[in-house]
Amino acid sequence: MKWIEIPHDYLSQKSAIQLIELSGKSFCLLWKEDKWIAFSKKCPHAGANLAHGWCEGNEVVCPYHRHRFNLIDGRGAAGQGNYIQIYPLKEVDGVLYVGLKENMWSRVFG
Ligand code: FES
């Protein structure tokens, strides 16, 4: 797991799902009920960008075919049989970090 700092500029935008691109990785960031949630950019159904989706209750809704994913555990709604990644976040001294898995090549050469 690699912890990557999320630049403060992103944290002033709390009204929509943001697409964040850092260190060659991309993910969605959402402010909801006084906390940040980080999750997959790509819908597992057919690859839509979930940053173009929207939030309903505890779910993000994909803009293409309306698959829904729980924002706590990433599970798709009943019958979908899919899920998204929910990425861990931590705040240290007022700085927000996202935890992303390193791929094998970055572990070897990074
Ligand atoms: S691409 Fe997301 S529901 Fe089809």
Side-chain angles (χ1 to χ4, degrees):
M1 175 85 60
K2 185 173 186 179
W3 291 96
I4 299 171
E5 179 180 343
I6 300 177
H8 208 262
D9 288 352
Y10 289 115
L11 307 182
S12 57
Q13 214 277 61
K14 294 181 173 174
S15 61
I17 300 171
Q18 297 183 77
L19 177 62
I20 311 288
E21 294 178 311
L22 295 173
S23 303
K25 308 262 189 188
S26 53
F27 60 93
C28 294
L29 186 68
L30 168 70
W31 176 255
K32 183 169 168 23
E33 295 170 2
D34 295 332
K35 66 173 190 166
W36 292 104
I37 301 171
F39 57 95
S40 309
K41 163 192 163 189
K42 192 171 168 182
C43 176
H45 178 234
N49 182 345
L50 290 174
H52 297 154
W54 59 92
C55 188
E56 286 183 11
N58 281 334
E59 296 175 322
V60 59
V61 182
C62 177
Y64 277 19
H65 314 102
R66 309 294 195 260
H67 277 209
R68 309 171 80 91
F69 302 94
N70 186 289
L71 287 166
I72 296 168
D73 61 15
R75 284 189 183 184
Q80 289 177 197
N82 55 8
Y83 66 92
I84 59 172
Q85 294 291 322
I86 305 293
Y87 300 115
L89 293 165
K90 69 177 180 182
E91 191 174 332
V92 179
D93 297 331
V95 177
L96 188 66
Y97 295 87
V98 61
L100 299 174
K101 281 188 184 153
E102 295 178 80
N103 65 32
M104 184 184 79
W105 298 111
S106 64
R107 282 200 302 270
V108 172
F109 299 109

